[in-house]
Amino acid sequence: MSNEKNEMNEKNAKSEKNIRVILLDDHPLVMEGLKNRLSKEPGIEVPRTFNDPRVLLSEIDSCRPDVLIMDISMPHLDGFQVARQLKERFGLALKMIMLSGYTYDEFYSKAYEIGVHAYLSKQATYGQIINAIKQSMLGHVLVSENVMKKPSIEALTPTEREVLEQIAQEMTNKEIAHNLAMSQRTVEYHLTSINQKLGVKTRIGAVVKGFETGLLGSLTQQLNEE
């Protein structure tokens, strides 16, 4: 009986020293692959995985996680919404890592502002993910320095907002010119102005910033449609 008790105490002590990581992703193959790899890493355990953000938010307390690794594009709630709610509930006690196929600067910036400790591409190696887990536990933030500061956003003119809406509908410059009764050169001028005001460099960057700031409706709806 004494030996069994000692073994149980040793297991509990070992478990307490491990970094408890939970996963949230609606792609089962991705999640299972990551779970299997992390479970083999000394000092890390994966007590629970979730494919529905709503379930995670209701059951996370029972998991007692140190780190959450999650996707951004998911049904019902996107990763940013989940991160905000968890940040309010747990503060710095829960380290959050975003693992996403979206690599836009605007997403990096948004993650940093919410308080995410690391934002990694889904192309990241297991070694990079494990490093992010360990660094986050030390309180380090692994987000690109070039997006640490949020650019100021000037108001768009009514015409620029119309152009931005057309861009979001994947219209070409020629199509935008036809739809808005202007020359392609004028469209290009508006595109340049939009990018400067939103602090972005590309059309997709302008669209992402448009959703983020509310100029183009719901970012969550756009991600779920994709």
Side-chain angles (χ1 to χ4, degrees):
M1 183 70 176
S2 177
N3 289 336
E4 290 180 0
K5 185 175 182 180
N6 289 336
E7 289 178 4
M8 184 177 295
N9 289 336
E10 288 178 4
K11 289 181 179 179
N12 289 338
K14 182 179 179 181
S15 177
E16 289 176 0
K17 293 179 182 179
N18 286 345
I19 300 173
R20 294 173 61 84
V21 180
I22 61 174
L23 309 178
L24 171 62
D25 198 315
D26 62 328
H27 297 93
L29 290 179
V30 173
M31 188 161 57
E32 283 303 311
L34 182 56
K35 175 187 176 182
N36 291 338
R37 177 59 183 86
L38 292 180
S39 298
K40 296 177 182 178
E41 182 68 17
I44 294 177
E45 61 178 298
V46 184
R48 186 80 186 273
T49 62
F50 297 87
N51 58 20
D52 188 327
R54 299 169 301 178
V55 177
L56 177 138
L57 290 172
S58 66
E59 300 184 8
I60 189 171
D61 290 322
S62 64
C63 301
R64 297 180 294 107
D66 299 304
V67 179
L68 164 64
I69 300 179
M70 61 180 158
D71 193 6
I72 290 181
S73 177
M74 296 175 288
H76 311 299
L77 294 170
D78 65 52
F80 295 124
Q81 292 173 309
V82 174
R84 282 197 185 93
Q85 292 190 42
L86 294 177
K87 190 66 177 179
E88 291 178 1
R89 288 170 59 180
F90 299 102
L92 295 175
L94 176 65
K95 315 303 181 185
M96 294 181 288
I97 297 173
M98 285 186 166
L99 190 62
S100 176
Y102 296 95
T103 56
Y104 312 133
D105 283 354
E106 290 77 11
F107 278 21
Y108 281 95
S109 180
K110 192 168 186 177
Y112 173 76
E113 290 164 8
I114 293 173
V116 170
H117 281 74
Y119 187 117
L120 301 176
S121 164
K122 282 194 172 179
Q123 302 302 316
T125 65
Y126 287 129
Q128 290 172 322
I129 296 172
I130 291 169
N131 178 63
I133 293 171
K134 294 179 178 179
Q135 291 298 319
S136 70
M137 289 299 295
L138 295 175
H140 299 162
V141 178
L142 305 180
V143 182
S144 300
E145 293 182 1
N146 65 323
V147 295
M148 291 268 185
K149 295 182 179 180
K150 182 179 180 180
S152 58
I153 298 177
E154 299 179 35
L156 300 185
T157 66
T159 301
E160 288 170 346
R161 294 188 65 155
E162 286 183 315
V163 171
L164 183 58
E165 289 170 358
Q166 296 279 310
I167 297 172
Q169 296 173 35
E170 300 184 354
M171 299 290 183
T172 65
N173 287 2
K174 184 177 181 180
E175 290 171 329
I176 295 173
H178 174 76
N179 294 340
L180 300 182
M182 61 179 66
S183 68
Q184 291 189 52
R185 185 179 294 275
T186 301
V187 173
E188 293 171 0
Y189 168 81
H190 285 306
L191 286 173
T192 299
S193 178
I194 290 169
N195 287 347
Q196 290 176 345
K197 289 182 177 181
L198 297 183
V200 299
K201 297 180 180 179
T202 64
R203 294 168 72 101
I204 186 62
V207 172
V208 171
K209 182 64 71 173
F211 283 114
E212 179 183 326
T213 58
L215 291 171
L216 289 172
S218 171
L219 173 61
T220 303
Q221 179 181 354
Q222 177 73 0
L223 290 176
N224 287 338
E225 286 177 354
E226 294 181 0

